[in-house]
Amino acid sequence: MKILILDGNENQAVACARSLGRAGHAVSVGESTSWSKAGWSRWCSGTFVYPAPQVDAETFVACVAREAAREPGTLVLPMTESTTLPLSARRDRLDSAGARHVLPPHETVLRAFDKVETTRLAESLGIAVPRSHQVDDLGQARDVARTFTYPAVLKPRSSEQLTASGQMRATGAPVYARDEAEFVAAFENLALRSPSVIAQEFIAGGGSGWYALMRDGELRAEFAHRRIRDVRPTGSGSALRESVYPEPRLREAGLKVLTALRWHGVAMVEFRVRPDGSPVFLEVNGRFWNSLALAVYAGADFPALLAELAERGDVAPPPRYRAGVRCRWLLGDFRHLLEVMRGAPAGWPGAWPGRLSTLANFLLPVPGTYHDNFQLGDPLPELADWIDFFFRKLPRTLKKRTQPRDLEPSAHRRAAHP
């Protein structure tokens, strides 16, 4: 089967290219840049460039549909929200091109990516959730701030948003607050990039996830891992992790959420695990996850299973994967080191790793550890990862930090001060 893997500069795209190429599929990798790390894999048989969905989602979908139409039955696999959302909204274009996709109804996709909606769903299912408030304007933010229990974390309602002009917009990282003043300042920061904000109590503990392949709300495959180091110590994609068998309470909660959504395809349900071991629901990511390579190394080959589901309509239960397998994202671990050296962000209420111990852990990896992007027989994605970071991502980040802050008040602020 011909398969188009989008978002070729993502780690999960590399894992998909290798898995699907080994399974005998013809893999073509797409990105909005002239080259990508998944496109440099030996398992990639072709590449193509599409317009960035953040600039023009309509043209992006049209380009992907044209590429898929070259061979009827082509499977389209988006790796991020920025490509999943516009393709889901315009899936009729893919259908007209004779392409395959593995997605639930668009209303379900929107619900899954909406942190307010999924938090309400989890709570209705009897799953523990953080104390949460939806905040839509500055006046409401001030009211909530006066009575909130601190510390707090404020985050955009969804990680990516489709604007009225047809562009995809990333809404950025969460912001933390230890008191009323920091809460209001955090909201004003987020209101510049998101039309709606969710404020939640900070849950002490570690991040954990449950990963699944679902067929119309029924479980077909699952996976779990233990995070050892995150890219950002505040909580983010993992830089080093180890496969484990799912903790029963976490597994039960994740399955409840995806069953209630009648999810179809792959998804990750994210939790914060309290020191006593009890999971607290955070969000659903209805797509492949950044640490996908670990699942494949451990024997839970989600890309191959998803392709089988798309081609045959169902999959046989896979054999049990192996626990105790470690996998490291080398660049992500380097970024973790830089984050630790910079120190904790403003308002961060949790513990912060020590600089010397973090440096020692980075320089002395555990023997037998696999890598997200490096393989002896397929080394170029690792090289491309570092080139992409230093010559694309880092300059963009530095440019944003040196640009003056947008002084135009947001719609929220205008509404609060007519």
Side-chain angles (χ1 to χ4, degrees):
M1 179 169 59
K2 177 70 174 295
I3 299 178
L4 304 185
I5 298 174
L6 309 185
D7 306 285
N9 277 316
E10 300 296 325
N11 286 0
Q12 56 267 43
V14 176
C16 280
R18 288 169 171 164
S19 164
L20 296 169
R22 286 193 303 266
H25 299 288
V27 174
S28 184
V29 174
E31 245 298 357
S32 59
T33 55
S34 58
W35 56 265
S36 67
K37 58 188 177 186
W40 283 17
S41 171
R42 62 181 289 254
W43 297 103
C44 174
S45 59
T47 61
F48 65 101
V49 178
Y50 51 71
Q54 295 86 351
V55 176
D56 189 341
E58 182 69 36
T59 306
F60 156 73
V61 173
C63 179
V64 173
R66 282 196 305 271
E67 191 68 27
R70 295 177 186 272
E71 186 173 324
T74 294
L75 174 61
V76 178
L77 293 182
M79 299 286 120
T80 66
E81 286 94 336
S82 64
T83 52
T84 299
L85 285 170
L87 286 171
S88 176
R90 300 167 176 83
R91 62 183 66 191
D92 58 305
R93 301 289 296 272
L94 298 181
D95 296 336
S96 298
R100 293 183 171 110
H101 54 79
V102 184
L103 291 168
H106 184 56
E107 295 75 16
T108 302
V109 173
L110 292 177
R111 191 182 185 195
F113 288 148
D114 187 324
K115 295 179 177 65
V116 172
E117 285 293 320
T118 52
T119 299
R120 288 172 180 164
L121 173 62
E123 188 173 26
S124 73
L125 296 170
I127 299 168
V129 300
R131 180 190 175 195
S132 305
H133 286 277
Q134 180 181 341
V135 186
D136 296 324
D137 60 57
L138 187 57
Q140 187 180 10
R142 288 171 173 156
D143 290 340
V144 172
R146 281 192 285 269
T147 59
F148 208 85
T149 302
Y150 294 94
V153 55
L154 288 81
K155 60 185 75 171
R157 184 167 178 167
S158 58
S159 301
E160 296 274 351
Q161 294 172 349
L162 186 61
T163 67
S165 61
Q167 298 178 343
M168 290 302 305
R169 180 177 63 186
T171 53
V175 183
Y176 302 89
R178 292 167 295 189
D179 54 36
E180 182 178 339
E182 288 185 353
F183 185 104
V184 174
F187 172 79
E188 291 189 292
N189 178 311
L190 288 173
L192 294 171
R193 45 191 165 100
S194 175
S196 185
V197 171
I198 180 171
Q200 296 181 324
E201 64 172 315
F202 177 81
I203 304 296
S208 189
W210 182 71
Y211 309 83
L213 172 65
M214 307 291 290
R215 180 184 181 272
D216 296 324
E218 296 180 354
L219 181 64
R220 290 296 183 266
E222 63 181 320
F223 182 74
H225 70 233
R226 176 179 67 90
R227 291 184 180 184
I228 300 173
R229 290 194 290 275
D230 284 341
V231 177
R232 294 191 299 271
T234 55
S236 64
S238 60
L240 178 67
R241 80 297 291 191
E242 181 180 66
S243 62
V244 299
Y245 296 130
E247 197 279 328
R249 289 175 294 179
L250 188 142
R251 178 187 188 275
E252 179 185 9
L255 184 57
K256 277 185 177 180
V257 171
L258 295 186
T259 300
L261 286 170
R262 288 189 57 82
W263 190 257
H264 187 66
V266 292
M268 175 261 215
V269 187
E270 187 172 357
F271 298 87
R272 196 84 173 169
V273 180
R274 297 184 189 273
D276 65 2
S278 59
V280 180
F281 173 85
L282 292 183
E283 62 184 65
V284 174
N285 290 313
R287 53 170 176 79
F288 280 119
W289 45 95
N290 190 66
S291 59
L292 175 64
L294 172 59
V296 178
Y297 286 128
D301 196 341
F302 284 97
L305 289 168
L306 186 68
E308 183 180 349
L309 178 63
E311 194 168 23
R312 302 181 182 175
D314 206 346
V315 296
R320 196 180 198 195
Y321 63 85
R322 293 178 295 137
V325 179
R326 282 193 173 203
C327 189
R328 184 189 194 195
W329 179 20
L330 187 57
L331 175 58
D333 214 11
F334 174 71
R335 289 168 56 187
H336 170 86
L337 175 63
L338 296 181
E339 291 285 343
V340 170
M341 295 302 175
R342 288 177 60 193
W348 173 246
W352 197 253
R355 290 183 171 89
L356 289 179
S357 61
T358 299
L359 179 60
N361 288 333
F362 177 79
L363 295 175
L364 300 171
V366 176
T369 299
Y370 292 93
H371 289 266
D372 284 7
N373 295 313
F374 179 76
Q375 290 182 356
L376 281 175
D378 190 26
L380 291 183
E382 180 69 42
L383 174 63
D385 197 21
W386 290 85
I387 294 174
D388 179 64
F389 176 73
F390 280 107
F391 292 95
R392 286 175 176 166
K393 291 186 175 69
L394 187 59
R396 286 199 300 266
T397 300
L398 295 176
K399 182 178 180 180
K400 286 181 181 179
R401 289 179 180 174
T402 57
Q403 284 178 340
R405 184 166 177 167
D406 187 0
L407 299 178
E408 176 66 19
S410 70
H412 305 291
R413 297 168 74 180
R414 286 195 296 269
H417 301 285

